[in-house]
Amino acid sequence: MRYSREHKQETHDRIVRKASVRLREKGAHGIGVADLMKEAGLTHGGFYAHFDSREALVIEAFAYAMDRSMDHWRKITDEATPEKRLALIAESYLSALHRDNPGHGCSIPSLGAEIARESPKTRKAFAGKLDEMIEMMADFIPNLPRKAARKQAIATLATMAGTMLLARIAGSSELSDEVLKAGRDGALDGARREPTKAAAAKKLREKQS
């Protein structure tokens, strides 16, 4: 039976969505192609009708996951003032809900360490999405020159991802909750400090001129 192009694309997208969840839950090498296809309700033999290699699926799956993370950030900050957007992202990211649902969360703490050991092609694709995420976060940091906003975005994202990794290592425990709180405080303090420093520097320049 020949399927339409639309049907093939729908099937392709379903495989990517399912793989995206399972890879974040099990890791890049924690689940095989046969299991991924079974999750999507398809046979192993149909895999190569949609992907050239397992690597191609992994790249699409984590790109999908990172896109969903950024879509979530846009949604929760859509009606917020510029000064509150970064705080909303940090609070949502460093939550028990995110910690306990890695399959539907950010792929950086779930897959980052494994991706760093993958092929140059996979690392390049991941780095491209990481850069998009940093640029988006920098957009949410007002009152700073772009270079300084990007620097703060990198520091904040690193704090958030590292905190989530440690919180998951600790599991659902008092220590894990303590880690999440410390990470939230650190991310938010850093985000508040930079605009304050920038405003003080600007005021000093105006006074000297």
Side-chain angles (χ1 to χ4, degrees), residues 45-62:
F47 177 80
Y48 291 101
H50 295 277
F51 305 97
D52 293 334
S53 64
R54 188 180 189 282
E55 179 184 48
L57 173 58
V58 170
I59 289 173
E60 281 201 52
F62 80 68

PDB file of all heavy atoms in Angstrom, residues 45-62:
ATOM      1  N   GLY A  45      11.431  -2.566  10.666  1.00  0.00           N
ATOM      2  CA  GLY A  45      11.791  -2.499   9.253  1.00  0.00           C
ATOM      3  C   GLY A  45      11.432  -1.194   8.573  1.00  0.00           C
ATOM      4  O   GLY A  45      12.025  -0.844   7.552  1.00  0.00           O
ATOM      5  N   GLY A  46      10.481  -0.461   9.140  1.00  0.00           N
ATOM      6  CA  GLY A  46      10.065   0.799   8.522  1.00  0.00           C
ATOM      7  C   GLY A  46      10.942   1.984   8.886  1.00  0.00           C
ATOM      8  O   GLY A  46      10.759   3.086   8.346  1.00  0.00           O
ATOM      9  N   PHE A  47      11.917   1.777   9.748  1.00  0.00           N
ATOM     10  CA  PHE A  47      12.726   2.892  10.257  1.00  0.00           C
ATOM     11  C   PHE A  47      13.426   3.649   9.136  1.00  0.00           C
ATOM     12  O   PHE A  47      13.390   4.883   9.069  1.00  0.00           O
ATOM     13  CB  PHE A  47      13.769   2.371  11.251  1.00  0.00           C
ATOM     14  CG  PHE A  47      14.693   3.433  11.779  1.00  0.00           C
ATOM     15  CD1 PHE A  47      14.300   4.274  12.800  1.00  0.00           C
ATOM     16  CD2 PHE A  47      15.967   3.589  11.228  1.00  0.00           C
ATOM     17  CE1 PHE A  47      15.152   5.263  13.270  1.00  0.00           C
ATOM     18  CE2 PHE A  47      16.826   4.570  11.693  1.00  0.00           C
ATOM     19  CZ  PHE A  47      16.406   5.413  12.722  1.00  0.00           C
ATOM     20  N   TYR A  48      14.073   2.916   8.238  1.00  0.00           N
ATOM     21  CA  TYR A  48      14.896   3.559   7.215  1.00  0.00           C
ATOM     22  C   TYR A  48      14.077   4.188   6.084  1.00  0.00           C
ATOM     23  O   TYR A  48      14.644   4.820   5.182  1.00  0.00           O
ATOM     24  CB  TYR A  48      15.931   2.577   6.674  1.00  0.00           C
ATOM     25  CG  TYR A  48      16.983   2.261   7.713  1.00  0.00           C
ATOM     26  CD1 TYR A  48      16.919   1.072   8.436  1.00  0.00           C
ATOM     27  CD2 TYR A  48      17.987   3.169   8.010  1.00  0.00           C
ATOM     28  CE1 TYR A  48      17.866   0.782   9.425  1.00  0.00           C
ATOM     29  CE2 TYR A  48      18.934   2.899   8.992  1.00  0.00           C
ATOM     30  CZ  TYR A  48      18.862   1.699   9.692  1.00  0.00           C
ATOM     31  OH  TYR A  48      19.791   1.439  10.678  1.00  0.00           O
ATOM     32  N   ALA A  49      12.775   4.029   6.147  1.00  0.00           N
ATOM     33  CA  ALA A  49      11.918   4.777   5.231  1.00  0.00           C
ATOM     34  C   ALA A  49      11.782   6.226   5.687  1.00  0.00           C
ATOM     35  O   ALA A  49      11.351   7.096   4.914  1.00  0.00           O
ATOM     36  CB  ALA A  49      10.537   4.125   5.146  1.00  0.00           C
ATOM     37  N   HIS A  50      12.171   6.479   6.946  1.00  0.00           N
ATOM     38  CA  HIS A  50      12.026   7.819   7.518  1.00  0.00           C
ATOM     39  C   HIS A  50      13.348   8.474   7.899  1.00  0.00           C
ATOM     40  O   HIS A  50      13.454   9.709   7.910  1.00  0.00           O
ATOM     41  CB  HIS A  50      11.145   7.747   8.771  1.00  0.00           C
ATOM     42  CG  HIS A  50       9.738   7.336   8.487  1.00  0.00           C
ATOM     43  ND1 HIS A  50       8.774   8.217   8.073  1.00  0.00           N
ATOM     44  CD2 HIS A  50       9.130   6.109   8.556  1.00  0.00           C
ATOM     45  CE1 HIS A  50       7.631   7.568   7.891  1.00  0.00           C
ATOM     46  NE2 HIS A  50       7.822   6.295   8.180  1.00  0.00           N
ATOM     47  N   PHE A  51      14.361   7.675   8.211  1.00  0.00           N
ATOM     48  CA  PHE A  51      15.637   8.220   8.685  1.00  0.00           C
ATOM     49  C   PHE A  51      16.804   7.487   8.039  1.00  0.00           C
ATOM     50  O   PHE A  51      16.759   6.278   7.849  1.00  0.00           O
ATOM     51  CB  PHE A  51      15.741   8.096  10.213  1.00  0.00           C
ATOM     52  CG  PHE A  51      14.600   8.732  10.949  1.00  0.00           C
ATOM     53  CD1 PHE A  51      13.519   7.951  11.368  1.00  0.00           C
ATOM     54  CD2 PHE A  51      14.583  10.093  11.206  1.00  0.00           C
ATOM     55  CE1 PHE A  51      12.451   8.528  12.022  1.00  0.00           C
ATOM     56  CE2 PHE A  51      13.514  10.680  11.863  1.00  0.00           C
ATOM     57  CZ  PHE A  51      12.439   9.895  12.273  1.00  0.00           C
ATOM     58  N   ASP A  52      17.857   8.236   7.729  1.00  0.00           N
ATOM     59  CA  ASP A  52      19.046   7.629   7.138  1.00  0.00           C
ATOM     60  C   ASP A  52      19.831   6.803   8.150  1.00  0.00           C
ATOM     61  O   ASP A  52      20.544   5.869   7.783  1.00  0.00           O
ATOM     62  CB  ASP A  52      19.966   8.716   6.571  1.00  0.00           C
ATOM     63  CG  ASP A  52      19.355   9.442   5.390  1.00  0.00           C
ATOM     64  OD1 ASP A  52      18.508   8.844   4.709  1.00  0.00           O
ATOM     65  OD2 ASP A  52      19.710  10.615   5.162  1.00  0.00           O
ATOM     66  N   SER A  53      19.726   7.182   9.434  1.00  0.00           N
ATOM     67  CA  SER A  53      20.496   6.512  10.477  1.00  0.00           C
ATOM     68  C   SER A  53      19.866   6.798  11.832  1.00  0.00           C
ATOM     69  O   SER A  53      19.002   7.663  11.969  1.00  0.00           O
ATOM     70  CB  SER A  53      21.945   7.014  10.482  1.00  0.00           C
ATOM     71  OG  SER A  53      21.966   8.399  10.820  1.00  0.00           O
ATOM     72  N   ARG A  54      20.316   6.052  12.830  1.00  0.00           N
ATOM     73  CA  ARG A  54      19.863   6.329  14.196  1.00  0.00           C
ATOM     74  C   ARG A  54      20.303   7.719  14.629  1.00  0.00           C
ATOM     75  O   ARG A  54      19.572   8.425  15.325  1.00  0.00           O
ATOM     76  CB  ARG A  54      20.442   5.276  15.153  1.00  0.00           C
ATOM     77  CG  ARG A  54      19.868   5.371  16.560  1.00  0.00           C
ATOM     78  CD  ARG A  54      20.478   4.315  17.463  1.00  0.00           C
ATOM     79  NE  ARG A  54      19.787   4.245  18.741  1.00  0.00           N
ATOM     80  CZ  ARG A  54      19.964   5.107  19.736  1.00  0.00           C
ATOM     81  NH1 ARG A  54      20.836   6.105  19.580  1.00  0.00           N
ATOM     82  NH2 ARG A  54      19.301   4.988  20.863  1.00  0.00           N
ATOM     83  N   GLU A  55      21.491   8.133  14.196  1.00  0.00           N
ATOM     84  CA  GLU A  55      21.989   9.466  14.531  1.00  0.00           C
ATOM     85  C   GLU A  55      21.036  10.543  14.021  1.00  0.00           C
ATOM     86  O   GLU A  55      20.784  11.544  14.713  1.00  0.00           O
ATOM     87  CB  GLU A  55      23.373   9.671  13.929  1.00  0.00           C
ATOM     88  CG  GLU A  55      23.964  11.048  14.212  1.00  0.00           C
ATOM     89  CD  GLU A  55      25.300  11.261  13.524  1.00  0.00           C
ATOM     90  OE1 GLU A  55      25.394  10.974  12.316  1.00  0.00           O
ATOM     91  OE2 GLU A  55      26.242  11.703  14.200  1.00  0.00           O
ATOM     92  N   ALA A  56      20.507  10.347  12.818  1.00  0.00           N
ATOM     93  CA  ALA A  56      19.586  11.335  12.253  1.00  0.00           C
ATOM     94  C   ALA A  56      18.343  11.480  13.127  1.00  0.00           C
ATOM     95  O   ALA A  56      17.842  12.596  13.351  1.00  0.00           O
ATOM     96  CB  ALA A  56      19.197  10.934  10.834  1.00  0.00           C
ATOM     97  N   LEU A  57      17.843  10.362  13.648  1.00  0.00           N
ATOM     98  CA  LEU A  57      16.682  10.409  14.536  1.00  0.00           C
ATOM     99  C   LEU A  57      17.030  11.107  15.848  1.00  0.00           C
ATOM    100  O   LEU A  57      16.261  11.937  16.334  1.00  0.00           O
ATOM    101  CB  LEU A  57      16.170   8.999  14.818  1.00  0.00           C
ATOM    102  CG  LEU A  57      15.053   8.896  15.890  1.00  0.00           C
ATOM    103  CD1 LEU A  57      13.846   9.735  15.498  1.00  0.00           C
ATOM    104  CD2 LEU A  57      14.662   7.436  16.104  1.00  0.00           C
ATOM    105  N   VAL A  58      18.180  10.789  16.412  1.00  0.00           N
ATOM    106  CA  VAL A  58      18.596  11.427  17.667  1.00  0.00           C
ATOM    107  C   VAL A  58      18.682  12.936  17.493  1.00  0.00           C
ATOM    108  O   VAL A  58      18.198  13.705  18.340  1.00  0.00           O
ATOM    109  CB  VAL A  58      19.951  10.857  18.143  1.00  0.00           C
ATOM    110  CG1 VAL A  58      20.508  11.689  19.303  1.00  0.00           C
ATOM    111  CG2 VAL A  58      19.784   9.401  18.577  1.00  0.00           C
ATOM    112  N   ILE A  59      19.253  13.397  16.396  1.00  0.00           N
ATOM    113  CA  ILE A  59      19.390  14.833  16.141  1.00  0.00           C
ATOM    114  C   ILE A  59      18.013  15.491  16.051  1.00  0.00           C
ATOM    115  O   ILE A  59      17.766  16.537  16.658  1.00  0.00           O
ATOM    116  CB  ILE A  59      20.206  15.082  14.862  1.00  0.00           C
ATOM    117  CG1 ILE A  59      21.676  14.734  15.102  1.00  0.00           C
ATOM    118  CG2 ILE A  59      20.071  16.529  14.404  1.00  0.00           C
ATOM    119  CD1 ILE A  59      22.533  14.778  13.851  1.00  0.00           C
ATOM    120  N   GLU A  60      17.109  14.890  15.298  1.00  0.00           N
ATOM    121  CA  GLU A  60      15.768  15.462  15.173  1.00  0.00           C
ATOM    122  C   GLU A  60      15.024  15.441  16.507  1.00  0.00           C
ATOM    123  O   GLU A  60      14.302  16.390  16.842  1.00  0.00           O
ATOM    124  CB  GLU A  60      14.955  14.699  14.123  1.00  0.00           C
ATOM    125  CG  GLU A  60      15.273  15.084  12.692  1.00  0.00           C
ATOM    126  CD  GLU A  60      14.143  14.701  11.751  1.00  0.00           C
ATOM    127  OE1 GLU A  60      12.980  15.062  12.026  1.00  0.00           O
ATOM    128  OE2 GLU A  60      14.436  14.043  10.731  1.00  0.00           O
ATOM    129  N   ALA A  61      15.202  14.368  17.261  1.00  0.00           N
ATOM    130  CA  ALA A  61      14.467  14.222  18.518  1.00  0.00           C
ATOM    131  C   ALA A  61      14.909  15.247  19.554  1.00  0.00           C
ATOM    132  O   ALA A  61      14.072  15.846  20.241  1.00  0.00           O
ATOM    133  CB  ALA A  61      14.649  12.804  19.069  1.00  0.00           C
ATOM    134  N   PHE A  62      16.218  15.479  19.698  1.00  0.00           N
ATOM    135  CA  PHE A  62      16.615  16.451  20.701  1.00  0.00           C
ATOM    136  C   PHE A  62      16.355  17.874  20.213  1.00  0.00           C
ATOM    137  O   PHE A  62      16.074  18.771  21.017  1.00  0.00           O
ATOM    138  CB  PHE A  62      18.060  16.244  21.162  1.00  0.00           C
ATOM    139  CG  PHE A  62      19.144  16.781  20.279  1.00  0.00           C
ATOM    140  CD1 PHE A  62      19.324  18.145  20.115  1.00  0.00           C
ATOM    141  CD2 PHE A  62      20.019  15.925  19.642  1.00  0.00           C
ATOM    142  CE1 PHE A  62      20.341  18.643  19.316  1.00  0.00           C
ATOM    143  CE2 PHE A  62      21.042  16.418  18.841  1.00  0.00           C
ATOM    144  CZ  PHE A  62      21.198  17.782  18.671  1.00  0.00           C
TER     145      PHE A  62
END
